[in-house]
Amino acid sequence: MEKKERTVTRVSDGKKTVESVKKTAKKVDDAVEEVAEETAAEKKLTKEEKKKKATTYRIISICLWVVAIAMEVLAILCISKTLYIGIPLLWSVIIFIVVDLACCLVAAFLWKKSNRLDPIKKTNNKVGFFLMTQLGLIMAVVCFLPLVILILINKDMDKKTKTILSVVAIAALLLVGALSADYNPISKEEADAAEAVITSDVYWTSFGHKYHTSDSCQALTNSSNLFVGSVSDAIEAGREDLCAFCARRDNIDTTGLKVEEAAGLE
């Protein structure tokens, strides 16, 4: 009978092989972790880089608001019958309103993001702080209110067209106004104070305005999805307020910080 070939491995050799594989795997894990840390470090922007990025966002926002105002003007010209683009008045004005709305929403989003990358000083500058943080809301009014008024006082438009355009324009004004307002702006002083006091990672959820110093915070009991990063990352994500629970638990000096009482679980 022909003898079959067989491979025999000594148990001790097998153990050495397993240990060797484990060591190799650990080296791979360490290498991956090192690359991940380097990548994360590269993603960390300096204050100057953030300021430059914020400036870019603000320039884009201003350009979009200029386009939005142009759309409003074109809609007004159509209503006054100074301009005719070859389609019925109803649809031409609706098209201009939709483009106006889109430009305003994107501009407001970028403007709010820029104010978190490069917060505005509030000390001795309350009026300027309000204007800069609420510019999205102000521009929403500028880009839609005159159009709404013109539609409502127009006497030459037929009743059906006037009703439809009034509803569309008012709805657009309310929508863009609600989404453009910054309900919880953070000042440069508050951002600097937070970054100086809290140097460890913080945690936040998909909703709300709070960040937490511990993922075991009682306000995060029902939160299945958490984000982690520096205080600067949290502020950039729109989480400007330190959780009051965390502040009390860690005995954090909250002088100059934005703190939000966690009334419910996040």
PDB file of all heavy atoms in Angstrom, residues 199-234:
ATOM      1  N   THR A 199      -9.261  70.157  28.995  1.00  0.00           N
ATOM      2  CA  THR A 199      -8.218  69.722  28.052  1.00  0.00           C
ATOM      3  C   THR A 199      -8.374  68.269  27.619  1.00  0.00           C
ATOM      4  O   THR A 199      -7.715  67.835  26.672  1.00  0.00           O
ATOM      5  CB  THR A 199      -6.829  69.901  28.693  1.00  0.00           C
ATOM      6  OG1 THR A 199      -6.779  69.176  29.929  1.00  0.00           O
ATOM      7  CG2 THR A 199      -6.548  71.377  28.963  1.00  0.00           C
ATOM      8  N   SER A 200      -9.236  67.526  28.302  1.00  0.00           N
ATOM      9  CA  SER A 200      -9.466  66.123  27.924  1.00  0.00           C
ATOM     10  C   SER A 200     -10.571  66.025  26.883  1.00  0.00           C
ATOM     11  O   SER A 200     -11.232  67.030  26.574  1.00  0.00           O
ATOM     12  CB  SER A 200      -9.845  65.303  29.158  1.00  0.00           C
ATOM     13  OG  SER A 200     -11.019  65.826  29.743  1.00  0.00           O
ATOM     14  N   ASP A 201     -10.783  64.823  26.363  1.00  0.00           N
ATOM     15  CA  ASP A 201     -11.849  64.619  25.377  1.00  0.00           C
ATOM     16  C   ASP A 201     -13.211  64.831  26.009  1.00  0.00           C
ATOM     17  O   ASP A 201     -13.407  64.596  27.215  1.00  0.00           O
ATOM     18  CB  ASP A 201     -11.779  63.199  24.800  1.00  0.00           C
ATOM     19  CG  ASP A 201     -10.695  63.049  23.743  1.00  0.00           C
ATOM     20  OD1 ASP A 201     -10.252  64.084  23.215  1.00  0.00           O
ATOM     21  OD2 ASP A 201     -10.296  61.910  23.449  1.00  0.00           O
ATOM     22  N   VAL A 202     -14.158  65.258  25.193  1.00  0.00           N
ATOM     23  CA  VAL A 202     -15.543  65.413  25.637  1.00  0.00           C
ATOM     24  C   VAL A 202     -16.449  64.608  24.711  1.00  0.00           C
ATOM     25  O   VAL A 202     -16.030  64.175  23.637  1.00  0.00           O
ATOM     26  CB  VAL A 202     -15.972  66.900  25.655  1.00  0.00           C
ATOM     27  CG1 VAL A 202     -15.163  67.683  26.664  1.00  0.00           C
ATOM     28  CG2 VAL A 202     -15.823  67.518  24.260  1.00  0.00           C
ATOM     29  N   TYR A 203     -17.689  64.436  25.133  1.00  0.00           N
ATOM     30  CA  TYR A 203     -18.636  63.594  24.395  1.00  0.00           C
ATOM     31  C   TYR A 203     -19.900  64.391  24.099  1.00  0.00           C
ATOM     32  O   TYR A 203     -20.310  65.246  24.885  1.00  0.00           O
ATOM     33  CB  TYR A 203     -18.994  62.344  25.225  1.00  0.00           C
ATOM     34  CG  TYR A 203     -17.788  61.524  25.626  1.00  0.00           C
ATOM     35  CD1 TYR A 203     -17.043  61.855  26.762  1.00  0.00           C
ATOM     36  CD2 TYR A 203     -17.387  60.424  24.870  1.00  0.00           C
ATOM     37  CE1 TYR A 203     -15.925  61.118  27.127  1.00  0.00           C
ATOM     38  CE2 TYR A 203     -16.268  59.679  25.224  1.00  0.00           C
ATOM     39  CZ  TYR A 203     -15.547  60.034  26.344  1.00  0.00           C
ATOM     40  OH  TYR A 203     -14.426  59.304  26.696  1.00  0.00           O
ATOM     41  N   TRP A 204     -20.516  64.102  22.963  1.00  0.00           N
ATOM     42  CA  TRP A 204     -21.777  64.746  22.625  1.00  0.00           C
ATOM     43  C   TRP A 204     -22.617  63.818  21.759  1.00  0.00           C
ATOM     44  O   TRP A 204     -22.124  62.824  21.227  1.00  0.00           O
ATOM     45  CB  TRP A 204     -21.552  66.093  21.952  1.00  0.00           C
ATOM     46  CG  TRP A 204     -20.855  66.060  20.628  1.00  0.00           C
ATOM     47  CD1 TRP A 204     -21.422  65.994  19.389  1.00  0.00           C
ATOM     48  CD2 TRP A 204     -19.427  66.093  20.393  1.00  0.00           C
ATOM     49  NE1 TRP A 204     -20.464  66.002  18.404  1.00  0.00           N
ATOM     50  CE2 TRP A 204     -19.234  66.060  18.988  1.00  0.00           C
ATOM     51  CE3 TRP A 204     -18.310  66.145  21.223  1.00  0.00           C
ATOM     52  CZ2 TRP A 204     -17.965  66.075  18.409  1.00  0.00           C
ATOM     53  CZ3 TRP A 204     -17.056  66.169  20.643  1.00  0.00           C
ATOM     54  CH2 TRP A 204     -16.891  66.133  19.253  1.00  0.00           C
ATOM     55  N   THR A 205     -23.891  64.158  21.640  1.00  0.00           N
ATOM     56  CA  THR A 205     -24.836  63.331  20.890  1.00  0.00           C
ATOM     57  C   THR A 205     -25.197  63.996  19.567  1.00  0.00           C
ATOM     58  O   THR A 205     -24.703  65.075  19.249  1.00  0.00           O
ATOM     59  CB  THR A 205     -26.118  63.101  21.702  1.00  0.00           C
ATOM     60  OG1 THR A 205     -26.757  64.363  21.924  1.00  0.00           O
ATOM     61  CG2 THR A 205     -25.810  62.468  23.059  1.00  0.00           C
ATOM     62  N   SER A 206     -26.076  63.348  18.825  1.00  0.00           N
ATOM     63  CA  SER A 206     -26.490  63.874  17.519  1.00  0.00           C
ATOM     64  C   SER A 206     -27.384  65.102  17.648  1.00  0.00           C
ATOM     65  O   SER A 206     -27.567  65.849  16.686  1.00  0.00           O
ATOM     66  CB  SER A 206     -27.233  62.790  16.728  1.00  0.00           C
ATOM     67  OG  SER A 206     -26.402  61.672  16.521  1.00  0.00           O
ATOM     68  N   PHE A 207     -27.969  65.308  18.826  1.00  0.00           N
ATOM     69  CA  PHE A 207     -28.885  66.431  19.022  1.00  0.00           C
ATOM     70  C   PHE A 207     -28.476  67.222  20.257  1.00  0.00           C
ATOM     71  O   PHE A 207     -27.703  66.764  21.088  1.00  0.00           O
ATOM     72  CB  PHE A 207     -30.327  65.922  19.187  1.00  0.00           C
ATOM     73  CG  PHE A 207     -30.828  65.138  17.999  1.00  0.00           C
ATOM     74  CD1 PHE A 207     -30.777  63.753  18.014  1.00  0.00           C
ATOM     75  CD2 PHE A 207     -31.324  65.778  16.878  1.00  0.00           C
ATOM     76  CE1 PHE A 207     -31.234  63.019  16.916  1.00  0.00           C
ATOM     77  CE2 PHE A 207     -31.770  65.058  15.784  1.00  0.00           C
ATOM     78  CZ  PHE A 207     -31.727  63.679  15.814  1.00  0.00           C
ATOM     79  N   GLY A 208     -29.042  68.419  20.393  1.00  0.00           N
ATOM     80  CA  GLY A 208     -28.796  69.231  21.569  1.00  0.00           C
ATOM     81  C   GLY A 208     -27.626  70.178  21.414  1.00  0.00           C
ATOM     82  O   GLY A 208     -27.026  70.305  20.350  1.00  0.00           O
ATOM     83  N   HIS A 209     -27.286  70.865  22.519  1.00  0.00           N
ATOM     84  CA  HIS A 209     -26.211  71.854  22.511  1.00  0.00           C
ATOM     85  C   HIS A 209     -25.118  71.525  23.530  1.00  0.00           C
ATOM     86  O   HIS A 209     -24.163  72.271  23.668  1.00  0.00           O
ATOM     87  CB  HIS A 209     -26.768  73.244  22.841  1.00  0.00           C
ATOM     88  CG  HIS A 209     -27.697  73.786  21.791  1.00  0.00           C
ATOM     89  ND1 HIS A 209     -27.244  74.231  20.567  1.00  0.00           N
ATOM     90  CD2 HIS A 209     -29.037  73.938  21.776  1.00  0.00           C
ATOM     91  CE1 HIS A 209     -28.275  74.650  19.848  1.00  0.00           C
ATOM     92  NE2 HIS A 209     -29.371  74.473  20.546  1.00  0.00           N
ATOM     93  N   LYS A 210     -25.257  70.413  24.248  1.00  0.00           N
ATOM     94  CA  LYS A 210     -24.328  70.110  25.334  1.00  0.00           C
ATOM     95  C   LYS A 210     -23.186  69.192  24.915  1.00  0.00           C
ATOM     96  O   LYS A 210     -23.334  68.369  24.021  1.00  0.00           O
ATOM     97  CB  LYS A 210     -25.069  69.447  26.496  1.00  0.00           C
ATOM     98  CG  LYS A 210     -26.120  70.315  27.159  1.00  0.00           C
ATOM     99  CD  LYS A 210     -26.694  69.654  28.395  1.00  0.00           C
ATOM    100  CE  LYS A 210     -27.532  68.426  28.071  1.00  0.00           C
ATOM    101  NZ  LYS A 210     -28.756  68.750  27.351  1.00  0.00           N
ATOM    102  N   TYR A 211     -22.059  69.359  25.617  1.00  0.00           N
ATOM    103  CA  TYR A 211     -20.990  68.364  25.549  1.00  0.00           C
ATOM    104  C   TYR A 211     -20.732  67.887  26.979  1.00  0.00           C
ATOM    105  O   TYR A 211     -21.025  68.588  27.952  1.00  0.00           O
ATOM    106  CB  TYR A 211     -19.722  68.941  24.906  1.00  0.00           C
ATOM    107  CG  TYR A 211     -19.124  70.140  25.596  1.00  0.00           C
ATOM    108  CD1 TYR A 211     -18.237  70.000  26.667  1.00  0.00           C
ATOM    109  CD2 TYR A 211     -19.430  71.434  25.171  1.00  0.00           C
ATOM    110  CE1 TYR A 211     -17.684  71.095  27.293  1.00  0.00           C
ATOM    111  CE2 TYR A 211     -18.872  72.539  25.801  1.00  0.00           C
ATOM    112  CZ  TYR A 211     -17.997  72.364  26.862  1.00  0.00           C
ATOM    113  OH  TYR A 211     -17.460  73.458  27.493  1.00  0.00           O
ATOM    114  N   HIS A 212     -20.209  66.685  27.116  1.00  0.00           N
ATOM    115  CA  HIS A 212     -20.036  66.056  28.421  1.00  0.00           C
ATOM    116  C   HIS A 212     -18.585  65.626  28.611  1.00  0.00           C
ATOM    117  O   HIS A 212     -17.920  65.224  27.655  1.00  0.00           O
ATOM    118  CB  HIS A 212     -20.945  64.823  28.534  1.00  0.00           C
ATOM    119  CG  HIS A 212     -22.381  65.111  28.184  1.00  0.00           C
ATOM    120  ND1 HIS A 212     -23.355  65.332  29.118  1.00  0.00           N
ATOM    121  CD2 HIS A 212     -22.999  65.229  26.964  1.00  0.00           C
ATOM    122  CE1 HIS A 212     -24.521  65.576  28.505  1.00  0.00           C
ATOM    123  NE2 HIS A 212     -24.320  65.519  27.200  1.00  0.00           N
ATOM    124  N   THR A 213     -18.120  65.701  29.842  1.00  0.00           N
ATOM    125  CA  THR A 213     -16.734  65.316  30.123  1.00  0.00           C
ATOM    126  C   THR A 213     -16.584  63.815  30.366  1.00  0.00           C
ATOM    127  O   THR A 213     -15.473  63.321  30.470  1.00  0.00           O
ATOM    128  CB  THR A 213     -16.199  66.082  31.349  1.00  0.00           C
ATOM    129  OG1 THR A 213     -17.078  65.860  32.459  1.00  0.00           O
ATOM    130  CG2 THR A 213     -16.131  67.581  31.048  1.00  0.00           C
ATOM    131  N   SER A 214     -17.708  63.104  30.451  1.00  0.00           N
ATOM    132  CA  SER A 214     -17.660  61.650  30.655  1.00  0.00           C
ATOM    133  C   SER A 214     -18.778  60.979  29.877  1.00  0.00           C
ATOM    134  O   SER A 214     -19.905  61.488  29.837  1.00  0.00           O
ATOM    135  CB  SER A 214     -17.799  61.308  32.148  1.00  0.00           C
ATOM    136  OG  SER A 214     -17.918  59.910  32.323  1.00  0.00           O
ATOM    137  N   ASP A 215     -18.455  59.819  29.289  1.00  0.00           N
ATOM    138  CA  ASP A 215     -19.499  59.102  28.548  1.00  0.00           C
ATOM    139  C   ASP A 215     -20.454  58.370  29.489  1.00  0.00           C
ATOM    140  O   ASP A 215     -21.443  57.786  29.053  1.00  0.00           O
ATOM    141  CB  ASP A 215     -18.876  58.113  27.556  1.00  0.00           C
ATOM    142  CG  ASP A 215     -17.975  57.095  28.243  1.00  0.00           C
ATOM    143  OD1 ASP A 215     -17.736  57.231  29.456  1.00  0.00           O
ATOM    144  OD2 ASP A 215     -17.510  56.161  27.562  1.00  0.00           O
ATOM    145  N   SER A 216     -20.158  58.404  30.792  1.00  0.00           N
ATOM    146  CA  SER A 216     -21.044  57.770  31.774  1.00  0.00           C
ATOM    147  C   SER A 216     -21.976  58.784  32.435  1.00  0.00           C
ATOM    148  O   SER A 216     -22.646  58.469  33.413  1.00  0.00           O
ATOM    149  CB  SER A 216     -20.218  57.048  32.847  1.00  0.00           C
ATOM    150  OG  SER A 216     -19.376  57.962  33.532  1.00  0.00           O
ATOM    151  N   CYS A 217     -22.011  59.996  31.907  1.00  0.00           N
ATOM    152  CA  CYS A 217     -22.898  61.030  32.454  1.00  0.00           C
ATOM    153  C   CYS A 217     -24.339  60.548  32.446  1.00  0.00           C
ATOM    154  O   CYS A 217     -24.789  59.888  31.505  1.00  0.00           O
ATOM    155  CB  CYS A 217     -22.768  62.310  31.624  1.00  0.00           C
ATOM    156  SG  CYS A 217     -23.934  63.612  32.105  1.00  0.00           S
ATOM    157  N   GLN A 218     -25.083  60.885  33.493  1.00  0.00           N
ATOM    158  CA  GLN A 218     -26.467  60.432  33.613  1.00  0.00           C
ATOM    159  C   GLN A 218     -27.348  60.944  32.484  1.00  0.00           C
ATOM    160  O   GLN A 218     -28.363  60.333  32.138  1.00  0.00           O
ATOM    161  CB  GLN A 218     -27.042  60.872  34.961  1.00  0.00           C
ATOM    162  CG  GLN A 218     -27.159  62.378  35.121  1.00  0.00           C
ATOM    163  CD  GLN A 218     -27.461  62.784  36.544  1.00  0.00           C
ATOM    164  OE1 GLN A 218     -26.574  62.883  37.376  1.00  0.00           O
ATOM    165  NE2 GLN A 218     -28.738  63.020  36.841  1.00  0.00           N
ATOM    166  N   ALA A 219     -26.952  62.076  31.869  1.00  0.00           N
ATOM    167  CA  ALA A 219     -27.748  62.622  30.769  1.00  0.00           C
ATOM    168  C   ALA A 219     -27.569  61.825  29.484  1.00  0.00           C
ATOM    169  O   ALA A 219     -28.315  62.015  28.529  1.00  0.00           O
ATOM    170  CB  ALA A 219     -27.361  64.075  30.518  1.00  0.00           C
ATOM    171  N   LEU A 220     -26.569  60.928  29.457  1.00  0.00           N
ATOM    172  CA  LEU A 220     -26.297  60.138  28.253  1.00  0.00           C
ATOM    173  C   LEU A 220     -26.787  58.700  28.385  1.00  0.00           C
ATOM    174  O   LEU A 220     -26.465  57.857  27.560  1.00  0.00           O
ATOM    175  CB  LEU A 220     -24.788  60.128  27.961  1.00  0.00           C
ATOM    176  CG  LEU A 220     -24.157  61.487  27.671  1.00  0.00           C
ATOM    177  CD1 LEU A 220     -22.650  61.345  27.520  1.00  0.00           C
ATOM    178  CD2 LEU A 220     -24.757  62.110  26.427  1.00  0.00           C
ATOM    179  N   THR A 221     -27.577  58.436  29.427  1.00  0.00           N
ATOM    180  CA  THR A 221     -28.029  57.069  29.705  1.00  0.00           C
ATOM    181  C   THR A 221     -28.698  56.409  28.505  1.00  0.00           C
ATOM    182  O   THR A 221     -28.445  55.243  28.192  1.00  0.00           O
ATOM    183  CB  THR A 221     -29.012  57.068  30.895  1.00  0.00           C
ATOM    184  OG1 THR A 221     -28.369  57.643  32.030  1.00  0.00           O
ATOM    185  CG2 THR A 221     -29.452  55.646  31.231  1.00  0.00           C
ATOM    186  N   ASN A 222     -29.544  57.146  27.818  1.00  0.00           N
ATOM    187  CA  ASN A 222     -30.298  56.561  26.707  1.00  0.00           C
ATOM    188  C   ASN A 222     -29.685  56.850  25.341  1.00  0.00           C
ATOM    189  O   ASN A 222     -30.322  56.611  24.308  1.00  0.00           O
ATOM    190  CB  ASN A 222     -31.743  57.088  26.726  1.00  0.00           C
ATOM    191  CG  ASN A 222     -32.482  56.658  27.967  1.00  0.00           C
ATOM    192  OD1 ASN A 222     -32.246  55.568  28.495  1.00  0.00           O
ATOM    193  ND2 ASN A 222     -33.372  57.504  28.467  1.00  0.00           N
ATOM    194  N   SER A 223     -28.476  57.373  25.322  1.00  0.00           N
ATOM    195  CA  SER A 223     -27.832  57.709  24.046  1.00  0.00           C
ATOM    196  C   SER A 223     -26.999  56.541  23.543  1.00  0.00           C
ATOM    197  O   SER A 223     -26.029  56.133  24.191  1.00  0.00           O
ATOM    198  CB  SER A 223     -26.947  58.945  24.224  1.00  0.00           C
ATOM    199  OG  SER A 223     -27.710  60.047  24.643  1.00  0.00           O
ATOM    200  N   SER A 224     -27.383  55.996  22.403  1.00  0.00           N
ATOM    201  CA  SER A 224     -26.679  54.845  21.844  1.00  0.00           C
ATOM    202  C   SER A 224     -25.546  55.255  20.917  1.00  0.00           C
ATOM    203  O   SER A 224     -24.655  54.458  20.616  1.00  0.00           O
ATOM    204  CB  SER A 224     -27.662  53.954  21.077  1.00  0.00           C
ATOM    205  OG  SER A 224     -28.299  54.682  20.044  1.00  0.00           O
ATOM    206  N   ASN A 225     -25.560  56.512  20.459  1.00  0.00           N
ATOM    207  CA  ASN A 225     -24.543  56.968  19.521  1.00  0.00           C
ATOM    208  C   ASN A 225     -23.875  58.231  20.060  1.00  0.00           C
ATOM    209  O   ASN A 225     -24.513  59.266  20.216  1.00  0.00           O
ATOM    210  CB  ASN A 225     -25.176  57.257  18.155  1.00  0.00           C
ATOM    211  CG  ASN A 225     -24.133  57.585  17.106  1.00  0.00           C
ATOM    212  OD1 ASN A 225     -23.011  57.092  17.166  1.00  0.00           O
ATOM    213  ND2 ASN A 225     -24.491  58.427  16.149  1.00  0.00           N
ATOM    214  N   LEU A 226     -22.584  58.138  20.367  1.00  0.00           N
ATOM    215  CA  LEU A 226     -21.849  59.268  20.920  1.00  0.00           C
ATOM    216  C   LEU A 226     -20.698  59.671  20.003  1.00  0.00           C
ATOM    217  O   LEU A 226     -20.137  58.837  19.299  1.00  0.00           O
ATOM    218  CB  LEU A 226     -21.277  58.916  22.298  1.00  0.00           C
ATOM    219  CG  LEU A 226     -22.255  58.669  23.441  1.00  0.00           C
ATOM    220  CD1 LEU A 226     -21.489  58.332  24.714  1.00  0.00           C
ATOM    221  CD2 LEU A 226     -23.143  59.876  23.669  1.00  0.00           C
ATOM    222  N   PHE A 227     -20.383  60.958  20.047  1.00  0.00           N
ATOM    223  CA  PHE A 227     -19.220  61.467  19.335  1.00  0.00           C
ATOM    224  C   PHE A 227     -18.213  61.928  20.378  1.00  0.00           C
ATOM    225  O   PHE A 227     -18.592  62.418  21.446  1.00  0.00           O
ATOM    226  CB  PHE A 227     -19.618  62.639  18.429  1.00  0.00           C
ATOM    227  CG  PHE A 227     -20.610  62.269  17.371  1.00  0.00           C
ATOM    228  CD1 PHE A 227     -21.969  62.401  17.602  1.00  0.00           C
ATOM    229  CD2 PHE A 227     -20.192  61.779  16.145  1.00  0.00           C
ATOM    230  CE1 PHE A 227     -22.902  62.060  16.627  1.00  0.00           C
ATOM    231  CE2 PHE A 227     -21.109  61.436  15.166  1.00  0.00           C
ATOM    232  CZ  PHE A 227     -22.463  61.566  15.403  1.00  0.00           C
ATOM    233  N   VAL A 228     -16.941  61.772  20.089  1.00  0.00           N
ATOM    234  CA  VAL A 228     -15.905  62.151  21.040  1.00  0.00           C
ATOM    235  C   VAL A 228     -14.857  62.998  20.338  1.00  0.00           C
ATOM    236  O   VAL A 228     -14.550  62.780  19.161  1.00  0.00           O
ATOM    237  CB  VAL A 228     -15.255  60.904  21.689  1.00  0.00           C
ATOM    238  CG1 VAL A 228     -14.598  60.019  20.636  1.00  0.00           C
ATOM    239  CG2 VAL A 228     -14.241  61.306  22.760  1.00  0.00           C
ATOM    240  N   GLY A 229     -14.337  63.971  21.050  1.00  0.00           N
ATOM    241  CA  GLY A 229     -13.319  64.837  20.482  1.00  0.00           C
ATOM    242  C   GLY A 229     -12.951  65.911  21.489  1.00  0.00           C
ATOM    243  O   GLY A 229     -13.362  65.860  22.659  1.00  0.00           O
ATOM    244  N   SER A 230     -12.191  66.887  21.062  1.00  0.00           N
ATOM    245  CA  SER A 230     -11.811  67.986  21.944  1.00  0.00           C
ATOM    246  C   SER A 230     -12.974  68.960  22.109  1.00  0.00           C
ATOM    247  O   SER A 230     -13.973  68.877  21.381  1.00  0.00           O
ATOM    248  CB  SER A 230     -10.598  68.720  21.367  1.00  0.00           C
ATOM    249  OG  SER A 230     -10.956  69.334  20.136  1.00  0.00           O
ATOM    250  N   VAL A 231     -12.835  69.869  23.052  1.00  0.00           N
ATOM    251  CA  VAL A 231     -13.859  70.906  23.238  1.00  0.00           C
ATOM    252  C   VAL A 231     -14.020  71.716  21.961  1.00  0.00           C
ATOM    253  O   VAL A 231     -15.133  72.074  21.562  1.00  0.00           O
ATOM    254  CB  VAL A 231     -13.486  71.827  24.416  1.00  0.00           C
ATOM    255  CG1 VAL A 231     -14.423  73.027  24.474  1.00  0.00           C
ATOM    256  CG2 VAL A 231     -13.551  71.073  25.723  1.00  0.00           C
ATOM    257  N   SER A 232     -12.907  71.969  21.305  1.00  0.00           N
ATOM    258  CA  SER A 232     -12.935  72.723  20.036  1.00  0.00           C
ATOM    259  C   SER A 232     -13.755  71.974  18.989  1.00  0.00           C
ATOM    260  O   SER A 232     -14.533  72.591  18.244  1.00  0.00           O
ATOM    261  CB  SER A 232     -11.504  72.935  19.532  1.00  0.00           C
ATOM    262  OG  SER A 232     -11.506  73.614  18.302  1.00  0.00           O
ATOM    263  N   ASP A 233     -13.602  70.643  18.951  1.00  0.00           N
ATOM    264  CA  ASP A 233     -14.382  69.829  18.010  1.00  0.00           C
ATOM    265  C   ASP A 233     -15.871  69.906  18.341  1.00  0.00           C
ATOM    266  O   ASP A 233     -16.716  69.986  17.447  1.00  0.00           O
ATOM    267  CB  ASP A 233     -13.925  68.365  18.059  1.00  0.00           C
ATOM    268  CG  ASP A 233     -12.498  68.185  17.561  1.00  0.00           C
ATOM    269  OD1 ASP A 233     -12.082  68.968  16.691  1.00  0.00           O
ATOM    270  OD2 ASP A 233     -11.820  67.265  18.048  1.00  0.00           O
ATOM    271  N   ALA A 234     -16.181  69.855  19.640  1.00  0.00           N
ATOM    272  CA  ALA A 234     -17.581  69.906  20.077  1.00  0.00           C
ATOM    273  C   ALA A 234     -18.217  71.239  19.695  1.00  0.00           C
ATOM    274  O   ALA A 234     -19.344  71.283  19.197  1.00  0.00           O
ATOM    275  CB  ALA A 234     -17.663  69.694  21.588  1.00  0.00           C
TER     276      ALA A 234
END
